[in-house]
Amino acid sequence: MPIEMAIRDGLGGSLWPAKNNGPEQRIAILPAMIAALNGAFDDISKAMRLHRVWIALAHEDIGDQHRRTTLGPLWMLVNYFAFVGTFVFVFVTTDASNPSYIAYVAIGMLVWFYLTETITMSVSLFQREASFIQGTTLPLFVYVMRLTMQCIIRAAYSLAGCVLVLLLGGYGISTNWLLSLLGLLLIVLATPAFVTVFAFLGAFFPDSEFIVGNLMRVGMFFTPVFWVYSGQEGVQKYAYHWNPFTYFLEGVREPITAGIFPTHALAVAGYISLGLWALALLLLGRYRKRIVFLT
C-alpha cells in the first residue's frame, strides 16, 4: 500500500495517467491521419497526371529485359506454357482426370504468377528506383504505377496463353468469361496497394526481400494453384480457407471452371483489397518524404 500511494502521489493521483489523456491523444491522432491521407491523395493525383511517364517507363523496362533475345517478350508466353504443361502432364495428381483440371491450372497459374511477381518485385522497388528518387521530384506513386503497369503488361502475355489453353480445352467464350474478368479487374485495382505496402516494407526492413521471396515460393504449395480442395481435413483445409490468395484465385477461376458467380471469393478479396488500400494510403501519406533517406 505505501508503494502504491507513493506512485499515485508521484503520478498525480493515478496509477495509469495515460488513460486520462486517452481522449486527447485520440483527438490529436485524427488530424494527423487526415493530413496523411491528404498527402497520399495529392501524391496519387500528381502521379496520375504523369501517366504518360510511368507508361513509357514500364514499356521501356519490358524492352530492356528482353533486349537482343530472339523471341523478345514472347518468352513470357513460353514460360507460362512451360509451367502449365509441367503441372498438368508431369506432376500428375488424382485431379488430373477431371476434364476441367487443365482450365483450373491454367487460370491458377495466371493469377499466381501475377501476384507473385507483383509482390516479390515490390519489396525492392524503392532500392531499384533510388537514383530517380534522389535525383528527381517525381511523386513517389509514379514508381508504384511504373511497376504496376510493367506487371500488367507481362501478365497480358500469360493471359493470351491462358485464353488459348481454355479454347483448346473446349471452353468457348461465354458470359462466364465476363464474370471472370470481374475477378481480374479486382486484382488489377488492388495491385497499386500491394506494390505500395510491400515497397515500404522493403524500404524499412531490407531483409524482407529474402523473407518475402522465400515465403512466396513456399506459398505456391499452400495455395490452391494446382491442387483442388474437395473438403479435405488437415493442412489443406487451413491452407484453403485461411489463405488470402485463395480468394483472388477463386474469384477469377470459379466462373469458368464451376460456372458460378464467386460471391464469397469476390467479397473476401474485396475486403482484403480495401484493407490494403487503407494501409497503403497511410504509409504513402506519412512516409513518402522519408523514403529518400532510406534508399
Side-chain angles (χ1 to χ4, degrees), residues 95 104 223-241 246 250 253:
D95 304 301
Y104 186 92
T223 305
V225 178
F226 58 90
W227 55 266
V228 181
Y229 178 71
S230 303
Q232 302 96 319
E233 294 294 328
V235 176
Q236 281 189 315
K237 177 180 179 180
Y238 295 102
Y240 183 86
H241 290 290
T246 295
E250 298 293 33
R253 191 161 51 191

Side-chain angles (χ1 to χ4, degrees), residues 78-91 105 109 165:
V78 173
N79 182 61
Y80 172 79
F81 281 134
F83 269 90
V84 171
T86 299
F87 281 98
V88 171
F89 300 110
V90 178
F91 291 97
V105 173
M109 285 292 180
V165 170

Side-chain angles (χ1 to χ4, degrees), residues 222-224 239-251 253 265:
F222 287 91
T223 305
Y240 183 86
H241 290 290
W242 293 97
N243 187 340
F245 296 116
T246 295
Y247 302 98
F248 288 99
L249 266 70
E250 298 293 33
R253 191 161 51 191

Side-chain angles (χ1 to χ4, degrees), residues 65-264:
Q65 291 167 6
H66 301 89
R67 183 176 296 174
R68 300 180 63 186
T69 60
T70 303
L71 296 180
L74 288 177
W75 275 114
M76 293 181 283
L77 182 60
V78 173
N79 182 61
Y80 172 79
F81 281 134
F83 269 90
V84 171
T86 299
F87 281 98
V88 171
F89 300 110
V90 178
F91 291 97
V92 180
T93 67
T94 56
D95 304 301
S97 59
N98 191 324
S100 65
Y101 184 66
I102 294 179
Y104 186 92
V105 173
I107 300 173
M109 285 292 180
L110 169 68
V111 177
W112 180 254
F113 279 171
Y114 180 82
L115 292 174
T116 300
E117 182 180 54
T118 299
I119 292 173
T120 53
M121 292 185 67
S122 297
V123 182
S124 59
L125 173 63
F126 293 147
Q127 280 72 30
R128 293 197 308 273
E129 303 288 2
S131 59
F132 277 98
I133 294 173
Q134 296 170 0
T136 69
T137 57
L138 289 172
L140 197 65
F141 204 69
V142 164
Y143 309 111
V144 172
M145 292 307 300
R146 177 183 184 177
L147 179 56
T148 299
M149 192 66 196
Q150 182 183 338
C151 292
I152 291 174
I153 294 172
R154 293 173 65 87
Y157 288 90
S158 297
L159 178 61
C162 182
V163 170
L164 181 59
V165 170
L166 292 177
L167 292 176
L168 293 176
Y171 289 86
I173 298 176
S174 64
T175 55
N176 290 335
W177 289 47
L178 296 177
L179 299 180
S180 183
L181 286 176
L182 288 177
L184 287 176
L185 179 60
L186 178 60
I187 293 174
V188 170
L189 292 176
T191 300
F194 273 109
V195 174
T196 303
V197 170
F198 283 94
F200 275 104
L201 176 66
F204 285 109
F205 305 102
D207 288 347
S208 60
E209 179 179 355
F210 303 98
I211 296 172
V212 171
N214 289 327
L215 287 176
M216 293 305 294
R217 280 189 286 272
V218 175
M220 180 177 183
F221 299 95
F222 287 91
T223 305
V225 178
F226 58 90
W227 55 266
V228 181
Y229 178 71
S230 303
Q232 302 96 319
E233 294 294 328
V235 176
Q236 281 189 315
K237 177 180 179 180
Y238 295 102
Y240 183 86
H241 290 290
W242 293 97
N243 187 340
F245 296 116
T246 295
Y247 302 98
F248 288 99
L249 266 70
E250 298 293 33
V252 180
R253 191 161 51 191
E254 283 186 346
I256 295 178
T257 59
I260 60 175
F261 183 77
T263 305
H264 179 65

Side-chain angles (χ1 to χ4, degrees), residues 7-30:
I7 295 175
R8 290 193 186 96
D9 292 338
L11 297 177
S14 174
L15 283 170
W16 314 105
K19 291 185 178 179
N20 295 337
N21 298 327
E24 289 80 0
Q25 291 175 350
R26 287 193 292 271
I27 293 173
I29 290 173
L30 186 59

